[in-house]
């Protein structure tokens, strides 16, 4: 009986998990089940259906393999999918800095905001700021593809795209 319970638990366990690698200030993690948010700690596991929230003046970093996602204060990020094939995130509000080192994970990576979706075409780093009525994507290294309201735009290093009311506006990136 114990062996069958262990086999069932292993088959339900996620194949790929991330971990919290940095916590500065009040950071919480909650699950889709509606459980009370818990204070995040370093090495806390991150899986699909987790929502990570940082309070004002707090920061955290999530590592999934060689990919790093840093959240600034006042941010809320949901992990939509996390498995061997995909890493899909939703930045509800706030700021996220993403660094992807391994080109093999590019096809499965995406991060959504209320205004659109961002996918990386080349390994590199970018920052996404999401508010109620706008999202801004600054690309520092690599190439990103920004999609909003049926339009898509390739963003090269040193460039910025603002998504506002279905419009995509480009400018110089701001560090």
């Amino acid at each position: 009986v114990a062996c069958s319970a262990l086999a069932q638990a292993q088959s339900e366990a996620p194949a790929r998990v991330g971990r919290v690698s940095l916590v500065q200030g009040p950071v919480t993690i909650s699950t889709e089940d509606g459980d009370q948010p818990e204070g995040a700690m370093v090495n806390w596991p991150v899986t699909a259906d987790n929502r990570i929230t940082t309070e004002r003046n707090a920061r955290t970093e999530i590592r999934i393999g060689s990919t790093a996602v840093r959240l600034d204060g006042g941010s809320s990020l949901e992990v939509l999918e996390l498995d061997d094939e995909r890493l899909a995130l939703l930045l509800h509000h706030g700021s996220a800095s993403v660094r992807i080192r391994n080109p093999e994970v590019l096809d499965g990576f995406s991060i959504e905001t209320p205004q659109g979706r961002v996918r990386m075409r080349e390994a590199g780093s970018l920052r996404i700021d999401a508010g109620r009525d706008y999202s801004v994507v600054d690309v520092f290294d690599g190439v990103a593809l920004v999609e909003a309201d049926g339009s898509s735009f390739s963003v090269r290093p040193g460039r910025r795209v603002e998504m506002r009311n279905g419009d995509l506006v480009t400018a110089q990136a701001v560090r």
Side-chain angles (χ1 to χ4, degrees):
V1 173
C3 289
S4 67
L6 178 61
Q8 182 180 359
Q10 287 176 340
S11 67
E12 294 173 3
R16 182 175 172 205
V17 295
R19 70 178 181 87
V20 175
S21 57
L22 170 77
V23 174
Q24 293 178 338
V27 178
T28 58
I29 295 182
S30 57
T31 62
E32 182 181 76
D33 301 339
D35 294 338
Q36 280 291 91
E38 298 186 43
M41 296 181 289
V42 172
N43 290 325
W44 192 278
V46 175
T47 61
D49 301 324
N50 281 160
R51 187 171 183 155
I52 300 102
T53 305
T54 59
E55 296 296 323
R56 189 171 178 232
N57 298 323
R59 292 187 177 133
T60 191
E61 180 181 73
I62 313 302
R63 293 275 180 134
I64 302 104
S66 64
T67 301
V69 179
R70 290 184 174 194
L71 293 180
D72 204 358
S75 299
S76 179
L77 179 82
E78 186 174 351
V79 181
L80 301 174
E81 289 183 69
L82 175 55
D83 58 31
D84 291 337
E85 308 293 317
R86 296 198 27 84
L87 172 58
L89 306 171
L90 171 59
L91 181 63
H92 293 279
H93 58 84
S95 300
S97 295
V98 179
R99 185 183 70 229
I100 297 178
R101 290 185 174 173
N102 184 353
E104 293 177 7
V105 302
L106 293 172
D107 286 340
F109 173 80
S110 68
I111 184 166
E112 295 179 32
T113 71
Q115 290 75 32
R117 179 169 61 165
V118 180
R119 295 184 290 155
M120 293 293 288
R121 289 290 167 222
E122 292 179 9
S125 61
L126 57 85
R127 178 182 168 113
I128 301 170
D129 297 294
R132 172 178 263 167
D133 302 323
Y134 70 94
S135 292
V136 178
V137 179
D138 289 299
V139 177
F140 304 115
D141 299 304
V143 176
L145 180 67
V146 176
E147 302 167 331
D149 288 337
S151 299
S152 63
F153 193 81
S154 192
V155 186
R156 303 233 170 254
R159 300 300 296 171
R160 152 188 279 213
V161 169
E162 295 181 18
M163 296 178 274
R164 193 180 303 264
N165 300 324
D167 293 331
L168 297 174
V169 179
T170 64
Q172 189 170 351
V174 177
R175 281 216 180 255

